[in-house]
Amino acid sequence: VLHASLVRTDFKSYLYWRMHGFPEAGVLDGFGCALIGSSDGDVMLVQQRPGNVNYGFACLPAGFIDERDVLADGTVEISLSAAREVAEELGEVGNLLVRDEGFIIARSNAQLSFAVPFRAPMTTAEFVRLVDEHNAMCADPELQSIVPVGSLGDIEGLPMLAYARELIEALFAAR
């Protein structure tokens, strides 16, 4: 169980804070992300298209916590945030994923990611094909590509967001 107080901010203030390297502000950037594993053991990273905030980096499907993730009693349900991002980024492919129990939490400087584990009941190749088909049918898809990771060697030299790199390194070191 994690107890935390959240502070609402606007997107431009967040971007300013991020652009300046997350200087000490007495807060962390907490967010949900989706850790998607294929039936053949790969972890699916995503690369966003130009114009998106994480363009140029490999990362997990993730996004900001918003009002839809807050329950009536004020509790933030991180798994709702991760599931919403899966739906936004993967479309119908997200409906095929199976949510596993628990969370994997990783901290990288001022970022605190809550990875929600999902299983794709298909091979990596099938997952990539379905996401490519989804992107081809969308007028303005968010993703540029899927980056399957089967070992630590797959991320060598790959531009990644720090939280995603730390999470993947810890995950594969434990295997």
Side-chain angles (χ1 to χ4, degrees):
V1 174
L2 174 71
H3 296 278
S5 296
L6 302 179
V7 177
R8 181 186 303 264
T9 189
D10 59 50
F11 191 59
K12 69 180 180 182
S13 296
Y14 169 79
L15 287 178
Y16 181 86
W17 184 50
R18 175 181 161 162
M19 191 171 64
H20 288 88
F22 298 107
E24 176 54 44
V27 297
L28 298 175
D29 170 21
F31 57 94
C33 57
L35 181 66
I36 303 169
S38 68
S39 65
D40 41 359
D42 291 339
V43 173
M44 304 294 120
L45 297 180
V46 299
Q47 289 184 313
Q48 292 184 332
R49 295 177 61 82
N52 288 290
V53 69
N54 291 323
Y55 169 67
F57 297 99
C59 57
L60 302 170
F64 297 98
I65 297 168
D66 71 22
E67 291 82 16
R68 295 171 287 183
D69 309 324
V70 182
L71 304 179
D73 67 358
T75 302
V76 173
E77 183 56 65
I78 295 292
S79 60
L80 291 176
S81 176
R84 184 174 31 76
E85 289 301 322
V86 163
E88 289 174 9
E89 296 182 16
L90 304 177
E92 291 299 316
V93 180
N95 293 334
L96 303 173
L97 302 180
V98 178
R99 163 83 157 91
D100 284 337
E101 291 297 315
F103 296 89
I104 301 170
I105 301 172
R107 180 171 176 188
S108 176
N109 299 317
Q111 290 192 298
L112 186 63
S113 67
F114 298 88
V116 177
F118 289 91
R119 280 180 287 115
M122 64 196 77
T123 66
T124 298
E126 181 71 3
F127 184 84
V128 170
R129 183 184 66 75
L130 290 173
V131 173
D132 286 346
E133 286 176 4
H134 164 73
N135 287 346
M137 293 185 333
C138 284
D140 186 25
E142 192 170 333
L143 299 183
Q144 179 170 296
S145 63
I146 299 293
V147 180
V149 177
S151 71
L152 285 176
D154 293 340
I155 65 170
E156 286 182 29
L158 182 65
M160 293 178 70
L161 293 177
Y163 85 88
R165 181 172 299 281
E166 290 188 25
L167 186 78
I168 295 297
E169 286 175 350
L171 184 67
F172 279 95
R175 286 187 175 182

